[in-house]
Amino acid sequence: MNAVRAIIFCLLFAFCFHANAAQTNSIVWHKTTGRVDADVRGETLWPLLEQIAAQVGWKIYVEPGTERVASAKFKNLPSGDALRMLLGDLNFALVPQTNTPALLYVFTTKIQNATRLVRTGKHAKHVPNELLLRVKPGTDIDALAKMLGAKITGRMDKYGIYRLQFAGADATDSALSQLQNDSDVLDADYNYYFDPPTSPQMISSAPIGPLSLQLNPPQNSGKVIVGLVDTAVQSLGDQLNQFLLKQISIADGTSDSDGITHGTAMAYTLLEAIAQASGGKSSVQILPADVYGGNAATTSWDVALGIQAVVNGGANVVNLSLGSASDSSILDSVIQQGISDGITFFASAGNTPVNTPTFPAAIPGVNDVTALSLPGQIASYANFWAGVDMALPGTSIVYFGSQAYVVQGTSPAAAYATGVFAGTMNSNFGSTAPQIISAMQQKFPVPGK
């Protein structure tokens, strides 16, 4: 191992990071549970309410001239208690609506004076004519779809989840309002888009050489399989292809990229971390699920299908180096089912340097990973919020064929974390998943947390 590689993996496996990061404010409003986590210090009222509006979708009206500086730290509070902690002695009223988002009024004198609308400028991006439903067992989904004038275009019967297609956006919005009051429907939500992944960049000279990893024949018991839900994974050459199981195609089409795909870079990064965690020999294998196909973006439906596919294929660890600003209650339920079945999930925190959550990383129970640029320093591009679990290096050197590439972001940071976990579990059969996660959180802390 040359000096540069030693430096890179010093970042990965150094067990103590000592640094103080700039103070950050964050709020995570969990859509499925109505519970709230917050770490807010000296936050003025308007940005505070903008964060809430962006996450929850409420229409918020404020009495002009109302002021407050909020400081509060809590986890898992109901929304009403969270509002009281954040708004202090200000008056507020949360008014549910039947077919539209709830209204929140914040005021000092009387509710009628709360007239100034908080505008976030952020809009959830979703497929305009599709909804995702989770229904109670025994529900006649075909009759429900017919009543709505919709076509069933996707089924996950194991979870009671279905994708419905409508004639247009207006019909979709109307059906969503109707379904939210249907006693047979556990969840109804839009089918949200996920952002296109970061493209690896070719470099003329690499500071480290290609990865070398030997496959120990996997055992029938104690086998560790990493489900990689991403873009397509290409050939990594004869030696590393031994670690790749047959790819599952979820989305239609194939990528027309002439270079390396994001999924290929994540697979290589996973194997790099596995090699370091296991001493260069491992029986961990990767099961790829291509949820992008020939598309630039994917959706919460295809990500949910990808998770179901890799879990059904035997994955006990899942890497999600992808993200969306929108919290899909349907995707939440699929991941929560996986967690209850003993599956460990890692996801990337996102590549916009803000303190608002990215999903699925912010879903409770998912190990969310942000990126470091140097030991003790969160990368300038990386998301961070109160719930982020760990921070690992955000740069990976990847070989594809005879060419070196670099990929940067919280995606490789999440892949590094997944590889560390999988390699450690494979090498230490006596360790449980919670024990490994606890050790990783101590070894790879988020600066300033």
Side-chain angles (χ1 to χ4, degrees), residues 3-37:
V4 175
R5 173 161 277 175
I7 291 171
I8 290 175
F9 285 102
C10 177
L11 284 174
L12 269 174
F13 297 100
F15 287 175
C16 294
F17 293 148
H18 300 284
N20 293 319
Q23 177 176 296
T24 61
N25 291 333
S26 67
I27 301 173
V28 180
W29 215 284
H30 299 294
K31 186 175 179 180
T32 54
T33 63
R35 298 269 171 166
V36 187
D37 305 334

PDB file of all heavy atoms in Angstrom, residues 3-37:
ATOM      1  N   ALA A   3       1.835   5.457  -0.008  1.00  0.00           N
ATOM      2  CA  ALA A   3       1.553   6.469   1.012  1.00  0.00           C
ATOM      3  C   ALA A   3       0.185   7.107   0.836  1.00  0.00           C
ATOM      4  O   ALA A   3      -0.532   7.354   1.807  1.00  0.00           O
ATOM      5  CB  ALA A   3       2.648   7.539   0.970  1.00  0.00           C
ATOM      6  N   VAL A   4      -0.202   7.372  -0.445  1.00  0.00           N
ATOM      7  CA  VAL A   4      -1.487   8.036  -0.665  1.00  0.00           C
ATOM      8  C   VAL A   4      -2.641   7.143  -0.256  1.00  0.00           C
ATOM      9  O   VAL A   4      -3.593   7.567   0.390  1.00  0.00           O
ATOM     10  CB  VAL A   4      -1.623   8.451  -2.144  1.00  0.00           C
ATOM     11  CG1 VAL A   4      -3.007   9.035  -2.407  1.00  0.00           C
ATOM     12  CG2 VAL A   4      -0.547   9.452  -2.508  1.00  0.00           C
ATOM     13  N   ARG A   5      -2.580   5.849  -0.629  1.00  0.00           N
ATOM     14  CA  ARG A   5      -3.649   4.941  -0.222  1.00  0.00           C
ATOM     15  C   ARG A   5      -3.710   4.841   1.294  1.00  0.00           C
ATOM     16  O   ARG A   5      -4.791   4.759   1.886  1.00  0.00           O
ATOM     17  CB  ARG A   5      -3.437   3.565  -0.841  1.00  0.00           C
ATOM     18  CG  ARG A   5      -4.427   2.524  -0.329  1.00  0.00           C
ATOM     19  CD  ARG A   5      -4.533   1.333  -1.225  1.00  0.00           C
ATOM     20  NE  ARG A   5      -5.451   1.602  -2.313  1.00  0.00           N
ATOM     21  CZ  ARG A   5      -5.663   0.761  -3.317  1.00  0.00           C
ATOM     22  NH1 ARG A   5      -5.000  -0.367  -3.384  1.00  0.00           N
ATOM     23  NH2 ARG A   5      -6.518   1.065  -4.260  1.00  0.00           N
ATOM     24  N   ALA A   6      -2.562   4.841   1.934  1.00  0.00           N
ATOM     25  CA  ALA A   6      -2.555   4.802   3.396  1.00  0.00           C
ATOM     26  C   ALA A   6      -3.267   6.012   3.978  1.00  0.00           C
ATOM     27  O   ALA A   6      -4.015   5.910   4.959  1.00  0.00           O
ATOM     28  CB  ALA A   6      -1.115   4.734   3.909  1.00  0.00           C
ATOM     29  N   ILE A   7      -3.055   7.185   3.358  1.00  0.00           N
ATOM     30  CA  ILE A   7      -3.739   8.398   3.831  1.00  0.00           C
ATOM     31  C   ILE A   7      -5.240   8.270   3.653  1.00  0.00           C
ATOM     32  O   ILE A   7      -6.025   8.589   4.547  1.00  0.00           O
ATOM     33  CB  ILE A   7      -3.201   9.632   3.086  1.00  0.00           C
ATOM     34  CG1 ILE A   7      -1.758   9.906   3.500  1.00  0.00           C
ATOM     35  CG2 ILE A   7      -4.071  10.857   3.368  1.00  0.00           C
ATOM     36  CD1 ILE A   7      -1.074  10.967   2.668  1.00  0.00           C
ATOM     37  N   ILE A   8      -5.664   7.770   2.473  1.00  0.00           N
ATOM     38  CA  ILE A   8      -7.095   7.632   2.209  1.00  0.00           C
ATOM     39  C   ILE A   8      -7.740   6.709   3.230  1.00  0.00           C
ATOM     40  O   ILE A   8      -8.790   7.010   3.799  1.00  0.00           O
ATOM     41  CB  ILE A   8      -7.328   7.102   0.790  1.00  0.00           C
ATOM     42  CG1 ILE A   8      -6.962   8.182  -0.233  1.00  0.00           C
ATOM     43  CG2 ILE A   8      -8.777   6.657   0.588  1.00  0.00           C
ATOM     44  CD1 ILE A   8      -7.040   7.711  -1.666  1.00  0.00           C
ATOM     45  N   PHE A   9      -7.090   5.603   3.521  1.00  0.00           N
ATOM     46  CA  PHE A   9      -7.726   4.677   4.446  1.00  0.00           C
ATOM     47  C   PHE A   9      -7.462   5.020   5.900  1.00  0.00           C
ATOM     48  O   PHE A   9      -8.143   4.503   6.788  1.00  0.00           O
ATOM     49  CB  PHE A   9      -7.341   3.238   4.094  1.00  0.00           C
ATOM     50  CG  PHE A   9      -8.075   2.786   2.888  1.00  0.00           C
ATOM     51  CD1 PHE A   9      -7.450   2.754   1.652  1.00  0.00           C
ATOM     52  CD2 PHE A   9      -9.422   2.490   2.962  1.00  0.00           C
ATOM     53  CE1 PHE A   9      -8.159   2.400   0.523  1.00  0.00           C
ATOM     54  CE2 PHE A   9     -10.122   2.135   1.836  1.00  0.00           C
ATOM     55  CZ  PHE A   9      -9.480   2.082   0.611  1.00  0.00           C
ATOM     56  N   CYS A  10      -6.543   5.919   6.129  1.00  0.00           N
ATOM     57  CA  CYS A  10      -6.478   6.522   7.458  1.00  0.00           C
ATOM     58  C   CYS A  10      -7.763   7.307   7.715  1.00  0.00           C
ATOM     59  O   CYS A  10      -8.324   7.281   8.800  1.00  0.00           O
ATOM     60  CB  CYS A  10      -5.263   7.436   7.572  1.00  0.00           C
ATOM     61  SG  CYS A  10      -5.141   8.301   9.151  1.00  0.00           S
ATOM     62  N   LEU A  11      -8.236   7.997   6.669  1.00  0.00           N
ATOM     63  CA  LEU A  11      -9.517   8.705   6.789  1.00  0.00           C
ATOM     64  C   LEU A  11     -10.643   7.721   7.060  1.00  0.00           C
ATOM     65  O   LEU A  11     -11.535   7.966   7.863  1.00  0.00           O
ATOM     66  CB  LEU A  11      -9.818   9.457   5.487  1.00  0.00           C
ATOM     67  CG  LEU A  11      -9.045  10.741   5.222  1.00  0.00           C
ATOM     68  CD1 LEU A  11      -9.386  11.257   3.829  1.00  0.00           C
ATOM     69  CD2 LEU A  11      -9.347  11.787   6.261  1.00  0.00           C
ATOM     70  N   LEU A  12     -10.605   6.585   6.374  1.00  0.00           N
ATOM     71  CA  LEU A  12     -11.695   5.629   6.527  1.00  0.00           C
ATOM     72  C   LEU A  12     -11.684   4.932   7.877  1.00  0.00           C
ATOM     73  O   LEU A  12     -12.729   4.725   8.489  1.00  0.00           O
ATOM     74  CB  LEU A  12     -11.578   4.550   5.443  1.00  0.00           C
ATOM     75  CG  LEU A  12     -12.305   4.793   4.143  1.00  0.00           C
ATOM     76  CD1 LEU A  12     -11.966   3.701   3.148  1.00  0.00           C
ATOM     77  CD2 LEU A  12     -13.793   4.845   4.385  1.00  0.00           C
ATOM     78  N   PHE A  13     -10.521   4.572   8.360  1.00  0.00           N
ATOM     79  CA  PHE A  13     -10.484   3.672   9.498  1.00  0.00           C
ATOM     80  C   PHE A  13      -9.815   4.250  10.739  1.00  0.00           C
ATOM     81  O   PHE A  13      -9.630   3.560  11.728  1.00  0.00           O
ATOM     82  CB  PHE A  13      -9.795   2.357   9.099  1.00  0.00           C
ATOM     83  CG  PHE A  13     -10.552   1.649   8.031  1.00  0.00           C
ATOM     84  CD1 PHE A  13     -10.147   1.731   6.699  1.00  0.00           C
ATOM     85  CD2 PHE A  13     -11.695   0.946   8.335  1.00  0.00           C
ATOM     86  CE1 PHE A  13     -10.874   1.098   5.702  1.00  0.00           C
ATOM     87  CE2 PHE A  13     -12.410   0.316   7.337  1.00  0.00           C
ATOM     88  CZ  PHE A  13     -11.992   0.387   6.031  1.00  0.00           C
ATOM     89  N   ALA A  14      -9.430   5.512  10.704  1.00  0.00           N
ATOM     90  CA  ALA A  14      -8.963   6.156  11.929  1.00  0.00           C
ATOM     91  C   ALA A  14     -10.120   6.220  12.898  1.00  0.00           C
ATOM     92  O   ALA A  14     -11.202   6.654  12.560  1.00  0.00           O
ATOM     93  CB  ALA A  14      -8.440   7.549  11.620  1.00  0.00           C
ATOM     94  N   PHE A  15      -9.920   5.831  14.114  1.00  0.00           N
ATOM     95  CA  PHE A  15     -11.039   5.646  15.022  1.00  0.00           C
ATOM     96  C   PHE A  15     -11.365   6.878  15.836  1.00  0.00           C
ATOM     97  O   PHE A  15     -12.329   6.880  16.585  1.00  0.00           O
ATOM     98  CB  PHE A  15     -10.754   4.479  15.968  1.00  0.00           C
ATOM     99  CG  PHE A  15     -10.850   3.132  15.318  1.00  0.00           C
ATOM    100  CD1 PHE A  15     -10.524   1.982  16.011  1.00  0.00           C
ATOM    101  CD2 PHE A  15     -11.278   3.022  14.008  1.00  0.00           C
ATOM    102  CE1 PHE A  15     -10.620   0.751  15.401  1.00  0.00           C
ATOM    103  CE2 PHE A  15     -11.383   1.784  13.394  1.00  0.00           C
ATOM    104  CZ  PHE A  15     -11.046   0.649  14.098  1.00  0.00           C
ATOM    105  N   CYS A  16     -10.590   7.908  15.756  1.00  0.00           N
ATOM    106  CA  CYS A  16     -10.904   9.108  16.540  1.00  0.00           C
ATOM    107  C   CYS A  16     -10.733  10.336  15.667  1.00  0.00           C
ATOM    108  O   CYS A  16      -9.646  10.581  15.160  1.00  0.00           O
ATOM    109  CB  CYS A  16      -9.979   9.227  17.756  1.00  0.00           C
ATOM    110  SG  CYS A  16     -10.211   7.916  18.960  1.00  0.00           S
ATOM    111  N   PHE A  17     -11.801  11.082  15.501  1.00  0.00           N
ATOM    112  CA  PHE A  17     -11.762  12.354  14.796  1.00  0.00           C
ATOM    113  C   PHE A  17     -11.986  13.437  15.839  1.00  0.00           C
ATOM    114  O   PHE A  17     -12.941  13.373  16.599  1.00  0.00           O
ATOM    115  CB  PHE A  17     -12.851  12.436  13.728  1.00  0.00           C
ATOM    116  CG  PHE A  17     -12.666  11.483  12.595  1.00  0.00           C
ATOM    117  CD1 PHE A  17     -13.779  10.959  11.950  1.00  0.00           C
ATOM    118  CD2 PHE A  17     -11.406  11.108  12.178  1.00  0.00           C
ATOM    119  CE1 PHE A  17     -13.620  10.085  10.892  1.00  0.00           C
ATOM    120  CE2 PHE A  17     -11.247  10.248  11.119  1.00  0.00           C
ATOM    121  CZ  PHE A  17     -12.348   9.731  10.476  1.00  0.00           C
ATOM    122  N   HIS A  18     -11.136  14.453  15.882  1.00  0.00           N
ATOM    123  CA  HIS A  18     -11.274  15.524  16.864  1.00  0.00           C
ATOM    124  C   HIS A  18     -11.384  16.843  16.123  1.00  0.00           C
ATOM    125  O   HIS A  18     -10.414  17.312  15.546  1.00  0.00           O
ATOM    126  CB  HIS A  18     -10.071  15.572  17.804  1.00  0.00           C
ATOM    127  CG  HIS A  18      -9.884  14.302  18.573  1.00  0.00           C
ATOM    128  ND1 HIS A  18     -10.673  13.952  19.644  1.00  0.00           N
ATOM    129  CD2 HIS A  18      -9.006  13.280  18.410  1.00  0.00           C
ATOM    130  CE1 HIS A  18     -10.274  12.775  20.122  1.00  0.00           C
ATOM    131  NE2 HIS A  18      -9.275  12.351  19.377  1.00  0.00           N
ATOM    132  N   ALA A  19     -12.584  17.435  16.134  1.00  0.00           N
ATOM    133  CA  ALA A  19     -12.768  18.729  15.480  1.00  0.00           C
ATOM    134  C   ALA A  19     -14.051  19.354  15.967  1.00  0.00           C
ATOM    135  O   ALA A  19     -14.962  18.681  16.407  1.00  0.00           O
ATOM    136  CB  ALA A  19     -12.826  18.560  13.964  1.00  0.00           C
ATOM    137  N   ASN A  20     -14.099  20.660  15.886  1.00  0.00           N
ATOM    138  CA  ASN A  20     -15.315  21.407  16.180  1.00  0.00           C
ATOM    139  C   ASN A  20     -15.818  22.029  14.890  1.00  0.00           C
ATOM    140  O   ASN A  20     -15.114  22.786  14.245  1.00  0.00           O
ATOM    141  CB  ASN A  20     -15.048  22.515  17.213  1.00  0.00           C
ATOM    142  CG  ASN A  20     -14.687  21.954  18.563  1.00  0.00           C
ATOM    143  OD1 ASN A  20     -15.286  20.983  19.004  1.00  0.00           O
ATOM    144  ND2 ASN A  20     -13.695  22.552  19.209  1.00  0.00           N
ATOM    145  N   ALA A  21     -17.049  21.686  14.522  1.00  0.00           N
ATOM    146  CA  ALA A  21     -17.631  22.231  13.296  1.00  0.00           C
ATOM    147  C   ALA A  21     -18.489  23.424  13.634  1.00  0.00           C
ATOM    148  O   ALA A  21     -18.855  23.661  14.775  1.00  0.00           O
ATOM    149  CB  ALA A  21     -18.475  21.156  12.606  1.00  0.00           C
ATOM    150  N   ALA A  22     -18.805  24.167  12.587  1.00  0.00           N
ATOM    151  CA  ALA A  22     -19.657  25.322  12.784  1.00  0.00           C
ATOM    152  C   ALA A  22     -21.026  24.880  13.294  1.00  0.00           C
ATOM    153  O   ALA A  22     -21.531  23.830  12.932  1.00  0.00           O
ATOM    154  CB  ALA A  22     -19.826  26.065  11.458  1.00  0.00           C
ATOM    155  N   GLN A  23     -21.604  25.662  14.143  1.00  0.00           N
ATOM    156  CA  GLN A  23     -22.911  25.369  14.688  1.00  0.00           C
ATOM    157  C   GLN A  23     -23.944  25.343  13.570  1.00  0.00           C
ATOM    158  O   GLN A  23     -23.973  26.193  12.708  1.00  0.00           O
ATOM    159  CB  GLN A  23     -23.270  26.442  15.710  1.00  0.00           C
ATOM    160  CG  GLN A  23     -24.655  26.304  16.313  1.00  0.00           C
ATOM    161  CD  GLN A  23     -24.859  27.350  17.380  1.00  0.00           C
ATOM    162  OE1 GLN A  23     -24.180  27.360  18.383  1.00  0.00           O
ATOM    163  NE2 GLN A  23     -25.787  28.257  17.136  1.00  0.00           N
ATOM    164  N   THR A  24     -24.816  24.315  13.587  1.00  0.00           N
ATOM    165  CA  THR A  24     -25.845  24.188  12.574  1.00  0.00           C
ATOM    166  C   THR A  24     -27.195  23.979  13.222  1.00  0.00           C
ATOM    167  O   THR A  24     -27.291  23.435  14.315  1.00  0.00           O
ATOM    168  CB  THR A  24     -25.547  22.991  11.649  1.00  0.00           C
ATOM    169  OG1 THR A  24     -25.525  21.794  12.435  1.00  0.00           O
ATOM    170  CG2 THR A  24     -24.206  23.154  10.947  1.00  0.00           C
ATOM    171  N   ASN A  25     -28.235  24.424  12.546  1.00  0.00           N
ATOM    172  CA  ASN A  25     -29.596  24.232  13.010  1.00  0.00           C
ATOM    173  C   ASN A  25     -30.297  23.252  12.093  1.00  0.00           C
ATOM    174  O   ASN A  25     -30.157  23.318  10.875  1.00  0.00           O
ATOM    175  CB  ASN A  25     -30.353  25.560  13.007  1.00  0.00           C
ATOM    176  CG  ASN A  25     -29.828  26.509  14.075  1.00  0.00           C
ATOM    177  OD1 ASN A  25     -29.293  26.073  15.085  1.00  0.00           O
ATOM    178  ND2 ASN A  25     -29.977  27.802  13.857  1.00  0.00           N
ATOM    179  N   SER A  26     -31.041  22.337  12.669  1.00  0.00           N
ATOM    180  CA  SER A  26     -31.740  21.369  11.833  1.00  0.00           C
ATOM    181  C   SER A  26     -33.044  20.939  12.484  1.00  0.00           C
ATOM    182  O   SER A  26     -33.160  20.891  13.704  1.00  0.00           O
ATOM    183  CB  SER A  26     -30.865  20.144  11.560  1.00  0.00           C
ATOM    184  OG  SER A  26     -30.655  19.419  12.744  1.00  0.00           O
ATOM    185  N   ILE A  27     -34.012  20.645  11.618  1.00  0.00           N
ATOM    186  CA  ILE A  27     -35.297  20.097  12.020  1.00  0.00           C
ATOM    187  C   ILE A  27     -35.606  18.938  11.088  1.00  0.00           C
ATOM    188  O   ILE A  27     -35.464  19.067   9.874  1.00  0.00           O
ATOM    189  CB  ILE A  27     -36.427  21.141  11.932  1.00  0.00           C
ATOM    190  CG1 ILE A  27     -36.125  22.349  12.813  1.00  0.00           C
ATOM    191  CG2 ILE A  27     -37.767  20.526  12.323  1.00  0.00           C
ATOM    192  CD1 ILE A  27     -37.112  23.488  12.634  1.00  0.00           C
ATOM    193  N   VAL A  28     -35.989  17.801  11.650  1.00  0.00           N
ATOM    194  CA  VAL A  28     -36.414  16.657  10.849  1.00  0.00           C
ATOM    195  C   VAL A  28     -37.837  16.310  11.274  1.00  0.00           C
ATOM    196  O   VAL A  28     -38.073  15.876  12.392  1.00  0.00           O
ATOM    197  CB  VAL A  28     -35.486  15.440  11.046  1.00  0.00           C
ATOM    198  CG1 VAL A  28     -35.973  14.274  10.193  1.00  0.00           C
ATOM    199  CG2 VAL A  28     -34.054  15.802  10.692  1.00  0.00           C
ATOM    200  N   TRP A  29     -38.773  16.543  10.358  1.00  0.00           N
ATOM    201  CA  TRP A  29     -40.197  16.295  10.615  1.00  0.00           C
ATOM    202  C   TRP A  29     -40.555  14.981   9.924  1.00  0.00           C
ATOM    203  O   TRP A  29     -40.653  14.913   8.715  1.00  0.00           O
ATOM    204  CB  TRP A  29     -41.047  17.424  10.039  1.00  0.00           C
ATOM    205  CG  TRP A  29     -42.249  17.738  10.877  1.00  0.00           C
ATOM    206  CD1 TRP A  29     -43.395  17.028  10.970  1.00  0.00           C
ATOM    207  CD2 TRP A  29     -42.405  18.874  11.737  1.00  0.00           C
ATOM    208  NE1 TRP A  29     -44.262  17.625  11.836  1.00  0.00           N
ATOM    209  CE2 TRP A  29     -43.685  18.774  12.326  1.00  0.00           C
ATOM    210  CE3 TRP A  29     -41.606  19.957  12.080  1.00  0.00           C
ATOM    211  CZ2 TRP A  29     -44.186  19.705  13.219  1.00  0.00           C
ATOM    212  CZ3 TRP A  29     -42.086  20.891  12.969  1.00  0.00           C
ATOM    213  CH2 TRP A  29     -43.366  20.771  13.537  1.00  0.00           C
ATOM    214  N   HIS A  30     -40.733  13.922  10.716  1.00  0.00           N
ATOM    215  CA  HIS A  30     -40.983  12.594  10.152  1.00  0.00           C
ATOM    216  C   HIS A  30     -42.441  12.491   9.709  1.00  0.00           C
ATOM    217  O   HIS A  30     -43.352  12.453  10.532  1.00  0.00           O
ATOM    218  CB  HIS A  30     -40.649  11.504  11.165  1.00  0.00           C
ATOM    219  CG  HIS A  30     -39.216  11.516  11.588  1.00  0.00           C
ATOM    220  ND1 HIS A  30     -38.187  11.223  10.719  1.00  0.00           N
ATOM    221  CD2 HIS A  30     -38.635  11.802  12.783  1.00  0.00           C
ATOM    222  CE1 HIS A  30     -37.035  11.314  11.365  1.00  0.00           C
ATOM    223  NE2 HIS A  30     -37.279  11.666  12.610  1.00  0.00           N
ATOM    224  N   LYS A  31     -42.614  12.417   8.407  1.00  0.00           N
ATOM    225  CA  LYS A  31     -43.943  12.493   7.811  1.00  0.00           C
ATOM    226  C   LYS A  31     -44.852  11.340   8.227  1.00  0.00           C
ATOM    227  O   LYS A  31     -46.041  11.519   8.489  1.00  0.00           O
ATOM    228  CB  LYS A  31     -43.797  12.515   6.284  1.00  0.00           C
ATOM    229  CG  LYS A  31     -45.077  12.727   5.511  1.00  0.00           C
ATOM    230  CD  LYS A  31     -44.731  12.852   4.034  1.00  0.00           C
ATOM    231  CE  LYS A  31     -45.974  13.043   3.192  1.00  0.00           C
ATOM    232  NZ  LYS A  31     -45.644  13.163   1.757  1.00  0.00           N
ATOM    233  N   THR A  32     -44.290  10.136   8.321  1.00  0.00           N
ATOM    234  CA  THR A  32     -45.130   8.973   8.583  1.00  0.00           C
ATOM    235  C   THR A  32     -45.584   8.887  10.034  1.00  0.00           C
ATOM    236  O   THR A  32     -46.649   8.351  10.316  1.00  0.00           O
ATOM    237  CB  THR A  32     -44.385   7.680   8.223  1.00  0.00           C
ATOM    238  OG1 THR A  32     -43.134   7.664   8.901  1.00  0.00           O
ATOM    239  CG2 THR A  32     -44.158   7.592   6.731  1.00  0.00           C
ATOM    240  N   THR A  33     -44.794   9.398  10.952  1.00  0.00           N
ATOM    241  CA  THR A  33     -45.126   9.272  12.375  1.00  0.00           C
ATOM    242  C   THR A  33     -45.644  10.561  12.985  1.00  0.00           C
ATOM    243  O   THR A  33     -46.225  10.546  14.076  1.00  0.00           O
ATOM    244  CB  THR A  33     -43.884   8.824  13.177  1.00  0.00           C
ATOM    245  OG1 THR A  33     -42.866   9.835  13.074  1.00  0.00           O
ATOM    246  CG2 THR A  33     -43.344   7.509  12.636  1.00  0.00           C
ATOM    247  N   GLY A  34     -45.412  11.706  12.309  1.00  0.00           N
ATOM    248  CA  GLY A  34     -45.794  12.986  12.898  1.00  0.00           C
ATOM    249  C   GLY A  34     -44.886  13.416  14.027  1.00  0.00           C
ATOM    250  O   GLY A  34     -45.191  14.376  14.753  1.00  0.00           O
ATOM    251  N   ARG A  35     -43.765  12.734  14.187  1.00  0.00           N
ATOM    252  CA  ARG A  35     -42.802  13.050  15.253  1.00  0.00           C
ATOM    253  C   ARG A  35     -41.689  13.935  14.713  1.00  0.00           C
ATOM    254  O   ARG A  35     -41.395  13.936  13.513  1.00  0.00           O
ATOM    255  CB  ARG A  35     -42.217  11.765  15.833  1.00  0.00           C
ATOM    256  CG  ARG A  35     -43.267  10.855  16.471  1.00  0.00           C
ATOM    257  CD  ARG A  35     -43.413  11.181  17.927  1.00  0.00           C
ATOM    258  NE  ARG A  35     -44.531  10.494  18.551  1.00  0.00           N
ATOM    259  CZ  ARG A  35     -44.691  10.420  19.863  1.00  0.00           C
ATOM    260  NH1 ARG A  35     -43.809  10.982  20.676  1.00  0.00           N
ATOM    261  NH2 ARG A  35     -45.738   9.815  20.375  1.00  0.00           N
ATOM    262  N   VAL A  36     -41.035  14.657  15.623  1.00  0.00           N
ATOM    263  CA  VAL A  36     -40.082  15.679  15.205  1.00  0.00           C
ATOM    264  C   VAL A  36     -38.791  15.561  16.007  1.00  0.00           C
ATOM    265  O   VAL A  36     -38.824  15.344  17.231  1.00  0.00           O
ATOM    266  CB  VAL A  36     -40.676  17.094  15.404  1.00  0.00           C
ATOM    267  CG1 VAL A  36     -39.751  18.150  14.800  1.00  0.00           C
ATOM    268  CG2 VAL A  36     -42.072  17.189  14.803  1.00  0.00           C
ATOM    269  N   ASP A  37     -37.655  15.708  15.316  1.00  0.00           N
ATOM    270  CA  ASP A  37     -36.338  15.867  15.939  1.00  0.00           C
ATOM    271  C   ASP A  37     -35.842  17.275  15.609  1.00  0.00           C
ATOM    272  O   ASP A  37     -36.027  17.746  14.484  1.00  0.00           O
ATOM    273  CB  ASP A  37     -35.318  14.863  15.397  1.00  0.00           C
ATOM    274  CG  ASP A  37     -35.770  13.423  15.529  1.00  0.00           C
ATOM    275  OD1 ASP A  37     -36.578  13.141  16.431  1.00  0.00           O
ATOM    276  OD2 ASP A  37     -35.322  12.583  14.723  1.00  0.00           O
TER     277      ASP A  37
END
